[in-house]
Amino acid sequence: MTAHPVYILGTCDTKHAELVYIRQCLHARGITGLIVDVSTRGAQTQADISARTVAAFHPDGESTVFRGERGQSIAAMAVALRHYLLARTDMGGVIAIGGSGGTALVSPALQALPLGLPKLAVSTVASGNTAPYVGGSDIAMLYSVTDMEGLNRLSRVILCNAANAMAGMVQAPCTVPPDPRPAIGLTMFGVTTPCVDHIVHDLSRLFACLVFHATGTGGRAMERLADDGVIRGFIDVTLTEFCDLVAGGIFPCDTDRLGAVIRTQHPYVGSCGGLDMVNFGARATVPERYRNRVFVEHNPQITLMRTSPAECRAMGHMIGHQLNRCEGEVRFLYPEGGFSILDRPGAPFHDPVADEAFYAALSETLDQTPRRRLIRLPHALNDPAFADALAHEFSRIFMKDTDNAQHSPQ
């Protein structure tokens, strides 16, 4: 048996057979499985770790969990489970099963676990919008197909596959050679790829460039790694997640976007990539109130909508207010020639009036200082000269920040 067990999460009062079956499948692969009961009724069940043991990790005690009202109990057990799992030092991996309620219960705990630790959720909601469950973490989700109401010919196969997948991750852990380069985070969308590719090519000799897809969860993942001490600087080329926050698109950031820049004070260079577009699903899903706007069908599942001057002004104020809270070195570069591949002369989203509305709002909001500057350049975002400027500004302020840290009194 492996030295570190796999923790198997689920509600034993409704899914005991499935949990035991997963433990048997893991055992067949030479892995110890421990069933962790996250039931909220307070009844005694057959589990390796009882629900009361987990509930006792709630900061306000187990009575907060077993209070009778289902929604409140699930929320409280989620808090208790997060504290319980974070206190473990012997986890080889975590596998969870559940419906909508069970998945919502375990997800905050799984998201809080270290990136790289194997974590897998078998869920009835895994074929829908999984962003609330996965967040910026590396949780693997497997659709259960049937509901989990006892074992059947299909659920046995799917749960066995899940156990085998976990066994593979636990028994063949990935080892990554050490990298002496400091890691930095960059944000990219398809329409800003030429810019980011150019920066990565220029800076890879000096920095380990981690590129994040700006889909809401991508920005959260990048900032989590900064909060965790992995990332030491930002080249935030693509802030398109703000468009979806302002206009109700499908890839929004949350109100903590740029929060890690504020908290860590790491060097930050930002720009306007993708601020010309809001993301929706298939064309039929676009809200009726937007029927007279300019659209581009990116693919059958994604429809892009050009941002208006009013939306651009709102984003300028929002981003400016966040940057004003940053005490580290900050540079924001504005590309006069457009914000993406689609925002240039002759392209469908070319709208200098909307772009200038963003600049006007940002410039009137941003409190410029020697450490916080707005720089306007006569290039389009994907022009090589603009990418060079982003790379140069970041390298300069990173080295400045490093020099200051080395010479500051201890």
Side-chain angles (χ1 to χ4, degrees), residues 57 79-91 108-114 117 224:
F57 277 78
V79 173
L81 179 64
R82 181 177 183 275
H83 284 276
Y84 173 77
L85 290 184
L86 288 177
R88 302 306 97 202
T89 59
D90 63 343
M91 282 189 294
L110 296 184
Q111 291 177 21
L113 293 174
L117 177 77
R224 170 186 173 161

Side-chain angles (χ1 to χ4, degrees), residues 1-6 26 29-33 92 167 170-171:
M1 293 293 173
T2 55
H4 297 298
V6 169
L26 289 171
R29 292 288 184 179
I31 294 174
T32 299
V170 171
Q171 292 176 329

Side-chain angles (χ1 to χ4, degrees), residues 283 294-299 302-306 342 348-349:
R283 184 63 181 267
V294 177
F295 296 97
V296 169
E297 294 190 23
H298 183 63
N299 60 47
I302 299 294
T303 304
L304 308 176
M305 180 182 78
R306 170 69 220 204
L342 297 175
F349 283 176

Side-chain angles (χ1 to χ4, degrees), residues 8-20 35-52 65-66 68 70 73-74 77 97-99 101-102 105-106 148-150:
I8 310 166
L9 314 180
T11 51
C12 280
D13 56 352
T14 60
K15 295 173 176 61
H16 186 257
E18 292 92 331
L19 294 166
V20 170
I35 295 175
V36 180
D37 186 12
V38 292
S39 305
T40 57
R41 298 175 185 175
Q44 292 294 325
T45 58
Q46 293 181 331
D48 299 298
I49 294 94
S50 70
R52 291 198 174 276
V65 176
F66 305 118
R70 183 173 184 270
S73 293
I74 288 176
M77 180 60 90
I97 64 172
L105 190 161
V106 302
M148 281 177 257
E149 184 60 36

Side-chain angles (χ1 to χ4, degrees), residues 145-374:
V145 183
T146 63
D147 206 345
M148 281 177 257
E149 184 60 36
L151 294 167
N152 57 57
R153 67 180 69 182
L154 184 57
S155 66
R156 286 179 183 274
V157 173
I158 291 171
L159 294 175
C160 184
N161 284 344
N164 287 341
M166 178 57 64
M169 289 188 280
V170 171
Q171 292 176 329
C174 182
T175 56
V176 179
D179 189 339
R181 299 171 300 170
I184 63 173
L186 302 92
T187 48
M188 187 174 78
F189 230 38
V191 293
T192 65
T193 297
C195 178
V196 177
D197 279 350
H198 192 101
I199 294 169
V200 171
H201 180 268
D202 282 355
L203 295 184
S204 288
R205 182 177 61 85
L206 299 173
F207 301 101
C209 297
L210 309 184
V211 180
F212 298 84
H213 199 196
T215 56
T217 53
R220 284 192 286 277
M222 179 181 71
E223 297 205 26
R224 170 186 173 161
L225 286 173
D227 283 328
D228 289 347
V230 176
I231 285 175
R232 293 174 52 193
F234 309 85
I235 306 181
D236 208 356
V237 175
T238 312
L239 286 167
T240 187
E241 296 162 329
F242 278 98
C243 300
D244 290 26
L245 177 63
V246 167
I250 61 174
F251 296 141
C253 58
D254 55 30
T255 55
D256 190 49
R257 187 68 165 88
L258 303 179
V261 186
I262 297 166
R263 290 185 290 272
T264 64
Q265 301 183 30
H266 288 335
Y268 177 88
V269 173
S271 193
C272 309
L275 291 183
D276 55 322
M277 61 190 61
V278 182
N279 295 269
F280 293 108
R283 184 63 181 267
T285 69
V286 177
E288 180 64 21
R289 67 183 181 277
Y290 293 135
R291 65 183 180 277
N292 294 323
R293 300 284 287 273
V294 177
F295 296 97
V296 169
E297 294 190 23
H298 183 63
N299 60 47
Q301 285 75 44
I302 299 294
T303 304
L304 308 176
M305 180 182 78
R306 170 69 220 204
T307 45
S308 69
E311 290 157 355
C312 286
R313 279 194 296 274
M315 291 186 291
H317 290 306
M318 190 179 298
I319 292 168
H321 284 305
Q322 286 292 82
L323 293 179
N324 283 342
R325 299 171 60 199
C326 298
E327 298 299 327
E329 293 285 344
V330 170
R331 304 290 184 271
F332 197 95
L333 275 59
Y334 176 83
E336 292 179 346
F339 296 170
S340 79
I341 289 172
L342 297 175
D343 180 22
R344 57 187 178 185
F349 283 176
H350 184 56
D351 189 345
V353 173
D355 293 352
E356 287 296 327
F358 171 82
Y359 180 81
L362 180 62
S363 61
E364 71 185 29
T365 304
L366 190 67
D367 179 18
Q368 295 198 58
T369 71
R371 292 171 63 84
R372 185 189 304 118
R373 295 180 53 209
L374 173 60

